[in-house]
Amino acid sequence: MSDFLKRDDLVFAGLPAKFSFGIRDRVRFHEIDALNHVNNIAYLRWTENLRVNMLPHIGLGSFAGEKRNIVLRAQDIEYFAPMHLFDDYIVAARCSRIGNSSLDMEYEVHCKGVVTVRVTSQIVMVNAAMTASVRIPDEARAIILEIDGIR
């Protein structure tokens, strides 16, 4: 059921225009914990799913035969409201900072008109051997700057 969304779709759904990409989906049974709400790991999987889907759109990450890798360096999460089985939601994301070899990303999960979770993460470009960071390609940098308007 999940749908990949771009900024216009997100704005139409009532989300802030600052987000460039999103995924619309529904909570599944396997994402529920013993307290009958979404388990905290599910939110991180949702952001990972969105990140993997959006990276090719910003010029990073075909995930096949690359001379560089993308690794998750850090991630923070804040919980604001519980979610339950069959709740429809949208997880939205944007790049909030671009460095020489890293990106900061912001995510929000929206359900029933409420922000239920906010996540921030930092991803780093590393060489194929994963021994050193590498510069984000200029083509990707240009796309990110155009889409998210960051400096």
Side-chain angles (χ1 to χ4, degrees):
M1 178 195 145
S2 65
D3 297 318
F4 186 73
L5 308 169
K6 294 189 176 178
R7 180 172 282 115
D8 290 344
D9 303 314
L10 296 168
V11 170
F12 184 76
L15 276 69
K18 71 179 183 177
F19 292 110
S20 49
F21 297 101
I23 291 181
R24 179 188 343 255
D25 210 341
R26 176 173 288 155
V27 176
R28 292 170 174 81
F29 179 75
H30 71 272
E31 297 169 321
I32 301 300
D33 64 15
L35 299 175
N36 287 323
H37 57 67
V38 172
N39 187 295
N40 56 15
I41 193 65
Y43 297 105
L44 299 178
R45 287 183 179 134
W46 297 347
T47 59
E48 177 184 58
N49 184 39
L50 177 52
R51 187 170 50 253
V52 168
N53 277 277
M54 85 180 256
L55 287 174
H57 290 274
I58 60 173
L60 297 172
S62 68
F63 303 104
E66 297 285 339
K67 294 180 182 176
R68 62 188 186 280
N69 290 300
I70 300 165
V71 296
L72 181 66
R73 182 187 170 281
Q75 195 156 244
D76 292 310
I77 187 166
E78 293 179 90
Y79 303 95
F80 302 108
M83 292 175 59
H84 302 93
L85 186 61
F86 304 129
D87 279 350
D88 292 320
Y89 67 88
I90 295 175
V91 57
R94 69 183 286 269
C95 295
S96 58
R97 185 198 62 84
I98 185 167
N100 185 43
S101 61
S102 64
L103 289 174
D104 289 350
M105 297 182 66
E106 296 176 7
Y107 312 83
E108 287 182 355
V109 177
H110 291 249
C111 179
K112 301 176 185 174
V114 174
V115 176
T116 62
V117 168
R118 188 169 290 126
V119 178
T120 57
S121 67
Q122 183 179 64
I123 60 173
V124 178
M125 304 293 302
V126 295
N127 62 12
M130 298 177 78
T131 57
S133 62
V134 296
R135 181 173 166 76
I136 294 170
D138 290 337
E139 304 82 31
R141 186 178 301 279
I143 293 168
I144 294 164
L145 293 174
E146 179 182 336
I147 290 173
D148 287 318
I150 55 173
R151 298 282 169 218

